[in-house]
Amino acid sequence: QVQLVESGGGLVQSGGSLRLSCTASGIKLGDYGIGWFRQVPGKGREGVACISSDDSRADYADSVRGRFTISRDNAKDTVYLQMNSLKPEDTGVYYCGADASDPPSILTALYYEYWGQGTQVTVSS
């Protein structure tokens, strides 16, 4: 059984930082492109950042470019999302997804095969 697990969410003040982690059981994350998406109630999942399996390519939503950094440590089979200069509009549930059709995309969540249960990020003003 495949399971992705996100961690590192929490409550932070505007301007603060958080680092999210994505780990997995049942698959090796190093074989997949990984994307981070976020969702707020009443809206669909919004792509935030993604990274190819070999760490050669990364992409970011315009809203987070320059503030967020996606990285991976394939030795630890973990993908990270470092979030700096957080804003209240970054609030949401953050999900990591695994996409076998490398490289992944942040434009749509459709091609991701596996998802975690999400971790809540709340940024207070």
Side-chain angles (χ1 to χ4, degrees):
Q1 184 178 356
V2 176
Q3 187 175 14
L4 271 61
V5 178
E6 303 92 341
S7 61
L11 173 63
V12 64
Q13 287 189 333
S14 182
S17 298
L18 285 172
R19 188 177 79 158
L20 306 184
S21 298
C22 176
T23 59
S25 60
I27 60 170
K28 185 177 178 183
L29 283 185
D31 293 336
Y32 291 80
I34 301 297
W36 284 98
F37 286 70
R38 64 188 179 193
Q39 190 168 20
V40 297
K43 294 190 176 182
R45 289 187 184 184
E46 172 194 17
V48 173
C50 63
I51 188 167
S52 60
S53 60
D54 64 358
D55 202 8
S56 64
R57 295 177 61 176
D59 195 16
Y60 298 89
D62 289 343
S63 60
V64 307
R65 193 182 307 274
R67 300 188 296 121
F68 290 13
T69 303
I70 189 170
S71 63
R72 65 191 309 156
D73 184 339
N74 284 345
K76 295 182 178 180
D77 215 30
T78 302
V79 176
Y80 304 99
L81 184 68
Q82 178 67 44
M83 307 187 295
N84 298 329
S85 302
L86 282 161
K87 304 176 181 180
E89 51 264 43
D90 294 319
T91 293
V93 178
Y94 282 69
Y95 300 89
C96 65
D99 180 3
S101 58
D102 219 7
S105 170
I106 57 169
L107 298 179
T108 177
L110 283 177
Y111 303 113
Y112 288 80
E113 296 180 56
Y114 305 108
W115 292 96
Q117 81 291 346
T119 185
Q120 176 70 44
V121 171
T122 303
V123 184
S124 62
S125 57

